Amino acid sequence: MARSTQARGKAGRGEIRRLWLAERDLFREHLLRLDPLTRQQRFGTAVNDAFLENYATTTFGVGGLVYAYVEDGVVRGAAELRGLDDIVAQTGEAAFSVETGWRRAGIGGQLFSRLITAARNRGIRTLYMTCLPENAAMRRLAQKFEADLAGGYADIEGVIATGGPTPFTILDEAFDNAKGFATLALSLQRTFWPTRILARAFGA
């Protein structure tokens, strides 16, 4: 049975899906909404808006992908898988951010599950994640997925053995990507539909 891609957020039910390059602004706006503490927990240090603007610009490259919790067309949580440009190493890095009002709703767990599936399907056998020692929620999330945790005063590193791809994981991701791409296509159609109507009205 395919896992659910729905989660309960602050305002209601949203969906967990992959973000595409055309949706980079949604990811950027999510990062900019993070409060100072959440920014520090995500990046390990205080970061300003300029840093987040640049980070969002460079995230959607050949070396990474992003899954998000999207509610009412707005990204409220995101998970990143990095290291896809070095498949020989068979390792990847996971990172997460969930806006304060949408925590404790199971969003982080569903995002993590999606990243593990994506990692398995791309030959990534070992997934790494880091968090600050005081980030108890992230430590609990890592333990839920049987991560080996080690670290000290500065940070804690989690290591997860993902396993290899299976027909189920491949079909699961393919279905999720198809659903996400259809959502993107519908959004773009709604965005440009008024322009086409005007063009026809004026004979363009």
Side-chain angles (χ1 to χ4, degrees):
M1 181 181 298
R3 76 172 67 83
S4 171
T5 58
Q6 290 188 327
R8 176 70 69 180
K10 182 177 181 180
R13 284 199 176 275
E15 63 174 345
I16 303 288
R17 64 175 179 83
R18 182 174 175 178
L19 287 186
W20 305 91
L21 178 61
E23 300 175 295
R24 182 167 55 194
D25 285 348
L26 296 180
F27 178 63
R28 175 182 59 82
E29 291 163 4
H30 159 68
L31 293 179
L32 290 173
R33 279 193 300 270
L34 298 179
D35 60 78
L37 177 59
T38 305
R39 293 184 183 193
Q40 183 176 9
Q41 290 175 338
R42 164 61 186 85
F43 294 98
T45 186
V47 296
N48 58 25
D49 287 357
F51 173 89
L52 295 176
E53 293 268 6
N54 182 68
Y55 184 86
T57 300
T58 59
T59 292
F60 291 82
V62 295
L65 60 81
V66 179
Y67 277 89
Y69 171 74
V70 184
E71 187 174 285
D72 297 328
V74 180
V75 171
R76 298 298 185 179
E80 304 158 52
L81 176 60
R82 292 176 171 269
L84 301 180
D85 52 345
D86 189 12
I87 297 300
V88 174
Q90 294 187 324
T91 63
E93 179 184 355
F96 303 85
S97 55
V98 179
E99 294 178 30
T100 303
W102 280 260
R103 294 183 178 181
R104 301 182 181 276
I107 294 171
Q110 290 201 49
L111 288 171
F112 209 150
S113 181
R114 280 292 161 198
L115 279 199
I116 291 176
T117 297
R120 292 179 65 174
N121 290 344
R122 289 160 178 77
I124 294 176
R125 299 302 182 92
T126 305
L127 197 58
Y128 293 93
M129 57 173 291
T130 59
C131 68
L132 297 176
E134 61 268 25
N135 193 343
M138 185 57 67
R139 295 204 311 272
R140 288 194 298 268
L141 183 60
Q143 291 170 340
K144 177 181 178 180
F145 288 89
E146 301 180 347
D148 293 326
L149 300 178
Y153 175 78
D155 57 48
I156 293 177
E157 182 178 75
V159 182
I160 300 173
T162 64
T166 67
F168 172 79
T169 62
I170 293 172
L171 288 174
D172 193 26
E173 184 180 0
F175 175 79
D176 181 67
N177 285 348
K179 182 179 178 182
F181 193 78
T183 300
L184 170 61
L186 181 60
S187 175
L188 292 175
Q189 183 182 36
R190 288 173 176 172
T191 299
F192 293 107
W193 180 252
T195 302
R196 291 200 297 270
I197 292 177
L198 289 174
R200 290 175 182 175
F202 286 97

